[in-house]
């Protein structure tokens, strides 16, 4: 029996997968599509992460979808509310009818002769058994996020087995973990650690955030009063659009200022921390990073909650390198001992491309690290495949929306010309930079060799700039010379779109 066929197959039912389905349904209403999701529920990141206090660290006015207003008064939002927003979007638009849960994609193989992908997945049955499933599609849209779901990253700590308490990773938070009155050490200083510290400090005996080196931290109000006021006087969508542009503008301004005047921004950020923690606090040791602002993601804390926890004495920061775990906790190279009942390794994610699947084109295995990224959306030499990777200096969804819109434009362009295959062709462009530039986060550095590279000029550049991407993805003609269109109906050499359209008639 021939495998079931769809025009588009979306991998993943997270924030981006639902975004992709919305765009397809609206802009390409005649296309059939299916979403394969490896888990039992949608929401991706916002369903997987369940540690105490889990929340966004960018504002939801830019992290919400362009087409659905974020109406909660909280702009920095708890994870549950984000999950509900994604589910409500899928439900209200009937997108959830097209999701097949418990389907993990393992590999996808492109055949130019047929102009289609054959996608191999494994379906988990209710009794725990697994069975293989094969589907075909004309276009594969990866919305599988950027990290491994099966487990987070934990460095090899010496003597971790000697520790007599419990070690927990935030990616697999045990829901029955009782930490009331307990001494806790959180290893890490990224977004997860700074979220966990104030949330745990409410009931734990004491919480220490142990960091090798500090991160830039900025406090913002949990509620955006201007956005809430706009919502009280304007229709929800108008208020949302205005607030969204206000925040996009502010983010671009802050990022550009950080790039041009890093020392000025650094001084401003550290001054704020000193004001929060008072003149006696050792800001130089614990809150002064070694890198320039935005070389790693800026950590946002709502209503100064981290600083409040430190001031209350319920939480503290230790800066130093771990020498070893001990029976009672951790010993630092400085000789300092941190006693703990529970240690949380907020040490990051394991990044992966395309949901960890194997890709091949006409029998040739594809190593994404050997390709060039086309507009940050497709890969050189790989036909009919797009993927979402959002911003690292702004909300993920801003770029996800643009990419989803672009994919629909591309599909509609191909339909209008009677074309079935599109391949970004690298004609002599050299790899000039990693997929994400000037970003020193450990988890990025560990992974970027396996990601597509950037070239030195458009369309082979990957921007971290919403305005530039809006121009590149929304307003630049689809047929830009770097995309090669072909059609298996034709056995002749590759033709330009106009000639192909005539041939297809
Ligand atoms: C703790 C945390 C906090 C974050 N906070 C923010 C923030 O405040 N602002 C921001 O902009 N970004 C944030 N991010 C980044 C965040 O991942 C994005 O905002 C967004 O959730 C990504 O959505 P996505 O749908 O692209 O990927 P994901 O949320 O990762 O969803 C991917 C989906 O694909 C599925 N999938 C993966 N592989 C396969 C496969 N092989 N087969 C089938 N299904 C598969 C997964 O199960 C999942 O459901 C955060 C990330 C983390 C981990």
């Amino acid at each position: 029996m021939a495998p079931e066929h769809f025009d588009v197959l979306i991998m993943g039912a997270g924030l981006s997968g639902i975004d992709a389905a919305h765009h397809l349904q609206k802009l390409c209403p005649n296309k059939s599509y299916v979403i394969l999701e490896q888990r039992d529920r949608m929401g991706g990141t916002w369903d997987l992460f369940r540690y105490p206090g889990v929340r966004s660290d960018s504002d939801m006015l830019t992290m919400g979808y362009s087409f659905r207003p974020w109406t909660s008064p909280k702009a920095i939002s708890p994870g549950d509310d984000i999950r509900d927003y994604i589910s409500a979007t899928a439900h209200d638009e009937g997108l959830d009818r097209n999701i097949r849960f418990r389907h993990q994609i393992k590999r996808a193989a492109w055949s130019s002769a047929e102009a289609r992908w054959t996608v191999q997945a494994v379906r988990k049955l209710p009794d725990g058994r697994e069975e293989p499933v094969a589907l075909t599609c004309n276009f594969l849209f990866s919305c599988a996020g950027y990290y491994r779901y099966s487990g987070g990253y934990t460095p090899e700590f010496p003597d971790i087995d000697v520790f007599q308490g419990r070690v927990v990773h935030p990616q697999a938070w045990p829901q029955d973990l009782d930490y009331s009155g307990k001494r806790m050490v959180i290893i890490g200083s990224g977004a997860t650690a700074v979220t966990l510290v104030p949330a745990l400090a409410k009931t734990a005996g004491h919480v220490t955030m142990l960091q090798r080196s500090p991160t830039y931290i900025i406090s913002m109000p949990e509620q955006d009063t201007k956005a809430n006021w706009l919502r009280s006087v304007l229709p929800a969508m108008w208020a949302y659009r205005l607030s969204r542009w206000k925040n996009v503008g502010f983010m671009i301004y802050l990022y550009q200022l950080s790039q041009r005047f890093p020392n000025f921004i650094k001084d401003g950020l550290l001054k704020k921390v000193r004001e929060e923690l008072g003149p006696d606090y050792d800001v130089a040791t614990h809150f002064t990073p070694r890198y320039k602002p935005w070389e790693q993601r800026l950590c946002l804390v709502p209503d100064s909650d981290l600083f409040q926890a430190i001031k209350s004495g319920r939480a503290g920061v230790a800066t130093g390198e771990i020498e070893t775990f001990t029976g009672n906790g951790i010993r630092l190279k400085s000789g300092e001992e941190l006693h703990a009942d529970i240690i949380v390794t907020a040490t990051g994610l394991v990044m992966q491309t395309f949901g960890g699947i194997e890709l091949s084109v006409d029998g040739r295995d594809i190593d994404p690290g050997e390709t060039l990224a086309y507009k940050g959306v497709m890969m050189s030499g790989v036909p009919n495949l797009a993927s979402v990777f959002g911003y690292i200096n702004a909300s993920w969804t801003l770029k996800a929306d643009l990419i989803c819109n672009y994919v629909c434009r591309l599909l509609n362009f191909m339909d209008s010309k009677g074309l079935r295959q599109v391949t970004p062709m690298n004609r002599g462009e050299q790899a000039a930079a990693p997929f994400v530039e000037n970003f020193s986060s450990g988890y990025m550095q560990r992974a970027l060799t396996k990601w597509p590279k950037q070239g030195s000029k458009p369309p082979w550049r990957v921007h971290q700039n919403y305005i530039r991407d809006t121009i590149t993805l929304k307003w630049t003609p689809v047929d830009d010379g770097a995309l090669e269109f072909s059609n298996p109906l034709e056995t002749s050499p590759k033709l330009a779109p106009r000639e192909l359209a005539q041939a297809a008639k």
Side-chain angles (χ1 to χ4, degrees):
M1 216 169 66
E4 203 178 353
H5 182 78
F6 294 90
D7 293 324
V8 182
L9 189 148
I10 299 170
M11 175 163 38
L15 193 67
S16 308
I18 299 304
D19 203 354
H22 160 88
H23 278 83
L24 276 172
Q25 205 156 282
K26 181 159 179 234
L27 302 177
C28 308
N30 296 327
K31 294 258 174 254
S32 60
Y33 75 91
V34 68
I35 307 177
L36 295 194
E37 167 56 53
Q38 64 186 356
R39 305 181 68 241
D40 289 334
R41 292 176 301 271
M42 70 179 99
T45 298
W46 302 104
D47 185 66
L48 176 74
F49 280 84
R50 302 283 181 140
Y51 58 77
V54 59
R55 56 163 171 77
S56 66
D57 64 349
S58 38
D59 71 280
M60 290 307 298
L61 299 157
T62 55
M63 209 178 130
Y65 296 125
S66 56
F67 54 87
R68 185 181 177 100
W70 177 260
T71 51
S72 158
K74 288 185 184 171
I76 309 294
S77 168
D80 286 357
D81 291 358
I82 305 175
R83 187 176 59 239
D84 292 348
Y85 173 82
I86 298 170
S87 308
T89 307
H91 183 71
D92 292 352
E93 299 192 18
L95 312 171
D96 49 358
R97 286 196 294 268
N98 298 313
I99 306 175
R100 296 193 188 171
F101 291 104
R102 294 178 290 280
H103 281 67
Q104 184 177 44
I105 302 179
K106 296 288 189 184
R107 59 192 65 83
W110 175 259
S111 156
S112 291
E114 298 167 291
R116 60 175 55 183
W117 289 98
T118 299
V119 174
Q120 310 276 356
V122 166
R123 174 167 50 203
K124 255 215 166 96
L125 300 170
D127 61 10
R129 278 181 305 126
E130 292 185 339
E131 68 175 21
V133 175
L135 298 171
T136 55
C137 63
N138 299 111
F139 200 94
L140 183 58
F141 197 176
S142 171
C143 297
Y146 60 97
Y147 63 88
R148 186 178 75 180
Y149 267 66
S150 56
Y153 175 71
T154 308
E156 285 196 12
F157 292 118
D159 283 342
I160 191 165
D161 298 335
V162 170
F163 177 57
Q164 288 173 359
R166 202 157 168 191
V167 179
V168 170
H169 194 287
Q171 192 168 324
W173 192 268
Q175 291 307 305
D176 61 350
L177 185 71
D178 178 9
Y179 53 87
S180 53
K182 301 272 167 57
R183 290 166 306 176
M184 304 189 73
V185 172
I186 320 288
I187 305 174
S189 60
T192 302
V194 304
T195 303
L196 273 166
V197 171
L200 297 174
K202 286 180 191 154
T203 42
H206 186 266
V207 182
T208 303
M209 181 169 95
L210 168 59
Q211 55 182 9
R212 198 162 40 183
S213 59
T215 302
Y216 287 105
I217 297 185
I218 182 169
S219 173
M220 298 278 262
E222 185 177 54
Q223 302 214 3
D224 183 329
T225 45
K226 290 193 188 75
N228 290 350
W229 178 77
L230 281 172
R231 203 176 311 111
S232 70
V233 295
L234 289 175
M237 199 61 196
W238 289 17
Y240 182 55
R241 284 204 181 123
L242 281 174
S243 307
R244 201 173 161 83
W245 275 108
K246 166 180 81 66
N247 291 5
V248 165
F250 178 70
M251 268 177 328
I252 292 175
Y253 166 75
L254 186 66
Y255 183 72
Q256 291 303 330
L257 214 60
S258 307
Q259 299 294 302
R260 270 151 230 219
F261 308 105
N263 291 334
F264 171 71
I265 294 293
K266 177 175 180 168
D267 292 346
L269 290 169
L270 298 184
K271 182 165 169 269
K272 287 267 174 220
V273 177
R274 269 186 224 105
E275 282 167 12
E276 295 274 5
L277 293 171
D280 298 334
Y281 194 87
D282 187 358
V283 171
T285 304
H286 300 310
F287 284 96
T288 308
R290 297 177 197 151
Y291 56 89
K292 293 186 200 138
W294 276 119
E295 274 180 18
Q296 296 188 17
R297 216 177 149 99
L298 208 70
C299 273
L300 195 151
V301 297
D303 295 333
S304 307
D305 63 357
L306 174 73
F307 302 123
Q308 301 291 347
I310 294 172
K311 276 195 288 190
S312 73
R314 299 186 71 86
V317 182
T319 305
E321 285 199 42
I322 295 175
E323 183 178 83
T324 184
F325 275 51
T326 64
N328 296 325
I330 291 173
R331 188 165 63 242
L332 302 184
K333 287 191 174 156
S334 64
E336 188 182 351
E337 301 251 0
L338 302 174
H339 294 292
D341 305 306
I342 301 172
I343 294 175
V344 181
T345 51
T347 41
L349 310 161
V350 177
M351 282 182 70
Q352 71 177 15
T353 46
F354 306 102
I357 70 171
E358 291 166 19
L359 287 170
S360 65
V361 172
D362 297 328
R364 179 175 48 92
D365 288 343
I366 298 298
D367 173 357
E370 300 282 308
T371 68
L372 278 192
Y374 171 82
K375 295 191 173 191
V377 178
M378 298 177 77
M379 280 187 286
S380 57
V382 182
N384 293 32
L385 170 71
S387 68
V388 170
F389 188 92
Y391 293 121
I392 42 109
N393 63 353
S395 290
W396 182 272
T397 325
L398 289 172
K399 184 134 186 193
D401 271 340
L402 289 176
I403 292 176
C404 294
N405 184 285
Y406 173 77
V407 167
C408 291
R409 282 179 65 213
L410 177 63
L411 294 175
N412 287 340
F413 172 84
M414 290 167 72
D415 276 0
S416 71
K417 308 279 182 198
L419 304 169
R420 297 172 67 202
Q421 179 164 332
V422 56
T423 315
M425 295 304 286
N426 175 9
R427 300 185 178 92
E429 181 73 22
Q430 298 295 318
F435 192 84
V436 179
E437 266 181 296
N438 305 326
F439 206 72
S440 58
S441 277
Y443 71 96
M444 285 273 180
Q445 294 302 322
R446 284 194 292 277
L448 280 174
T449 52
K450 297 182 192 135
W451 286 60
K453 307 291 179 294
Q454 297 193 48
S456 55
K457 51 183 188 298
W460 305 104
R461 298 278 293 146
V462 183
H463 302 305
Q464 296 291 331
N465 182 313
Y466 183 59
I467 306 285
R468 274 185 151 176
D469 279 333
T470 302
I471 295 167
T472 314
L473 293 170
K474 233 174 165 173
W475 296 330
T476 306
V478 168
D479 183 11
D480 63 356
L483 291 182
E484 185 175 80
F485 295 91
S486 55
N487 204 327
L489 292 173
E490 287 301 308
T491 48
S492 56
K494 310 276 188 292
L495 298 171
R498 251 165 279 108
E499 296 163 292
L500 272 168
Q502 276 168 358
K505 274 182 193 161

